[in-house]
Amino acid sequence: MTGIRSTIRLIRNNPIKSTACGATFATVGYASILEWRANSSEQQMQQQQQQQQQHPTSSSLSFRPASTITTPLLPREYDDATISNYWIHRPISLVSRVGGIAREITPLLCHYLYNHHVSKRNFTDDDEDSPPFAEEYAKTLKEALTRLGPAFVKAGQQLSIRPDLVPPAFLKELQKLCDEVEPVANEVALGLLKREWGVGSLDE
């Protein structure tokens, strides 16, 4: 009873903070449940597909009807509605990904704004007493794109063949994304193949 009374007193003394905290916890809780259900549905659908591949003619197996699964897998071809539906049911992953992108891009943007608008340096300046600003920034950009994943690496590759848009120092660094990207670990690649083919070993 003492704990309940203390909580009620705290809410009365700080109604705005209490409401904000309650709303935050409720939102995070709802998002967690929504994502958990979506991931569970995805696992069930993958298991169903694997069973159907392993036993295509078996009628004794019990499969969950596809109509009860409301969160489909990501499509292999572009489908705006399906992709939107996939990520709407995964708010935590979506926010986490957006946060990761912002964490990589924001320092670069701030660095650019400071050097270009405050220090009045641009990508064509050559300072003999220190490494060229453009080369340093281009290397940092290339590393950030690499960390952000395949979609951003592909964007960098596309920019690397556009000398009409990108300064020479950037072209040099971005062209490294075409043939010097760190390869995916063998364990990750083999795991993806096993999951896609629905096998426990590639020897099967």
Side-chain angles (χ1 to χ4, degrees):
M1 292 298 294
T2 303
I4 295 176
R5 290 176 180 175
S6 298
T7 302
I8 294 174
R9 189 180 303 110
L10 179 63
I11 293 174
R12 288 178 178 176
N13 294 335
N14 301 280
I16 297 178
K17 291 183 179 180
S18 299
T19 302
C21 290
T24 301
F25 283 123
T27 301
V28 172
Y30 174 76
S32 299
I33 293 173
L34 189 65
E35 181 146 350
W36 175 77
R37 292 181 61 185
N39 291 334
S40 297
S41 296
E42 181 176 1
Q43 291 177 358
Q44 290 174 355
M45 181 175 288
Q46 289 175 341
Q47 291 173 359
Q48 183 186 69
Q49 291 176 348
Q50 292 175 3
Q51 290 176 350
Q52 290 175 341
Q53 291 173 357
Q54 295 172 358
H55 308 279
T57 59
S58 176
S59 59
S60 62
L61 293 176
S62 175
F63 297 119
R64 184 180 180 183
S67 60
T68 63
I69 301 177
T70 58
T71 54
L73 302 175
L74 280 173
R76 295 183 180 276
E77 298 180 355
Y78 181 78
D79 186 334
D80 182 66
T82 304
I83 293 173
S84 297
N85 186 39
Y86 180 91
W87 289 112
I88 284 174
H89 289 84
R90 291 165 176 81
I92 293 180
S93 295
L94 181 60
V95 171
S96 177
R97 177 56 173 166
V98 172
I101 295 172
R103 187 171 58 251
E104 293 287 348
I105 298 299
T106 300
L108 288 172
L109 181 60
C110 292
H111 193 195
Y112 166 77
L113 292 175
Y114 174 81
N115 283 278
H116 190 68
H117 295 285
V118 178
S119 299
K120 301 300 181 182
R121 302 177 67 187
N122 58 59
F123 299 127
T124 59
D125 287 339
D126 291 327
D127 188 350
E128 296 181 357
D129 296 330
S130 63
F133 164 72
E135 293 182 6
E136 294 178 3
Y137 193 86
K139 184 178 180 179
T140 303
L141 175 62
K142 182 206 71 175
E143 293 172 351
L145 294 177
T146 302
R147 288 191 296 268
L148 285 172
F152 289 86
V153 169
K154 178 59 67 176
Q157 292 173 347
Q158 295 298 317
L159 289 174
S160 70
I161 58 174
R162 295 299 304 271
D164 57 322
L165 298 177
V166 181
F170 282 76
L171 287 175
K172 181 180 178 181
E173 287 296 327
L174 292 177
Q175 284 170 359
K176 295 178 181 178
L177 294 174
C178 298
D179 54 6
E180 297 183 17
V181 179
E182 184 178 352
V184 176
N186 290 336
E187 295 77 9
V188 175
L190 292 175
L192 288 173
L193 289 175
K194 292 176 184 177
R195 186 164 66 250
E196 288 291 327
W197 293 344
V199 298
S201 172
L202 294 181
D203 296 331
E204 297 181 9

